[in-house]
Amino acid sequence: GTQFTSILTLDLLSATFSYEADHLMGNWPVVYASQDTLVIAEPAQDWWWFWGNDEINEATNIHRFDISDGASTVYSGSGRIDGLILNQFSVSEHEGYVRVAATTGQWNRWWIDDPEPMNNHVYVLAESVDEDGVTMLNTIGHIGDIAPGERIWSSRFVGDEGYLVTFRQIDPLWTIDLANPERPEIKGELEIH
């Protein structure tokens, strides 16, 4: 990691100034927040890590914080998914699940002669506790092979559905059914030429 991300919780109505701080060391993070959850998603490696390490695949670290109290921020666990995300709209939290849209492949490695082709995925993560009492985010649902050869250009999550626009020469719109977090599935596709 080359950067620090700081989360400060301030009581703006307090007569005295006090704050709570949490810090993460990582790489150019994306921040998503709902009413009760703050999610920080950041690449597991910076771009220079891949130079000369062509066999390593891109991954994104997902860190979750509980902000439901308002007066404090509580770390809820971390996980990792394959691929890279586009922006904060590629992340969502709904009914306790974190949903993430990501693109895999070596599409951003311009120095490789024959890069691994792009592919797109939607992951659903949930909190779990291991035998040592450590809280983690584990992938409980996944759908892949969405628009092979293209990358995510835009994504939105609304309730039990996710929407992806991928890009190569045309702009297809994908509707993903997320009602069952363990079994996401494609509901439909619209291609605009």
Side-chain angles (χ1 to χ4, degrees):
T2 58
Q3 301 176 14
F4 282 101
T5 301
S6 297
I7 304 166
L8 302 175
T9 305
L10 309 169
D11 183 356
L12 299 176
L13 301 176
S14 175
T16 61
F17 178 75
S18 64
Y19 65 92
E20 178 185 294
D22 294 295
H23 308 283
L24 287 173
M25 186 171 183
N27 299 303
W28 34 285
V30 168
V31 178
Y32 164 85
S34 66
Q35 182 175 344
D36 298 326
T37 301
L38 176 74
V39 177
I40 295 177
E42 47 102 15
Q45 305 92 358
D46 211 342
W47 72 269
W48 52 266
W49 185 266
F50 302 107
W51 192 271
N53 295 309
D54 294 342
E55 70 284 352
I56 298 174
N57 292 319
E58 290 94 345
T60 299
N61 296 327
I62 309 292
H63 311 284
R64 182 179 183 169
F65 295 84
D66 181 350
I67 58 172
S68 60
D69 176 25
S72 64
T73 302
V74 179
Y75 174 71
S76 305
S78 295
R80 180 176 282 182
I81 60 162
D82 292 333
L84 296 175
I85 67 170
L86 179 63
N87 55 30
Q88 72 272 21
F89 299 108
S90 299
V91 181
S92 171
E93 181 273 332
H94 181 67
E95 296 183 354
Y97 299 102
V98 175
R99 295 99 57 95
V100 183
T103 300
T104 58
Q106 299 171 330
W107 53 275
N108 61 344
R109 298 187 198 181
W110 50 268
W111 60 88
I112 297 178
D113 289 330
D114 188 24
E116 180 185 322
M118 296 175 285
N119 208 334
N120 301 290
H121 308 264
V122 173
Y123 300 92
V124 181
L125 294 90
E127 289 181 19
S128 65
V129 179
D130 70 7
E131 60 276 354
D132 297 325
V134 177
T135 304
M136 301 175 298
L137 288 176
N138 289 319
T139 300
I140 62 159
H142 168 255
I143 184 167
D145 294 324
I146 303 170
E150 301 180 16
R151 74 178 189 92
I152 294 174
W153 198 251
S154 179
S155 58
R156 299 292 186 275
F157 294 94
V158 180
D160 286 337
E161 293 184 340
Y163 301 91
L164 304 178
V165 175
T166 58
F167 179 76
R168 182 178 51 199
Q169 297 296 335
I170 55 175
D171 293 337
L173 168 67
W174 300 83
T175 302
I176 313 295
D177 183 356
L178 298 164
N180 181 346
E182 295 179 12
R183 296 173 113 345
E185 59 184 274
I186 294 174
K187 281 180 68 174
E189 171 190 2
L190 170 65
E191 283 192 5
I192 302 171
H193 295 271

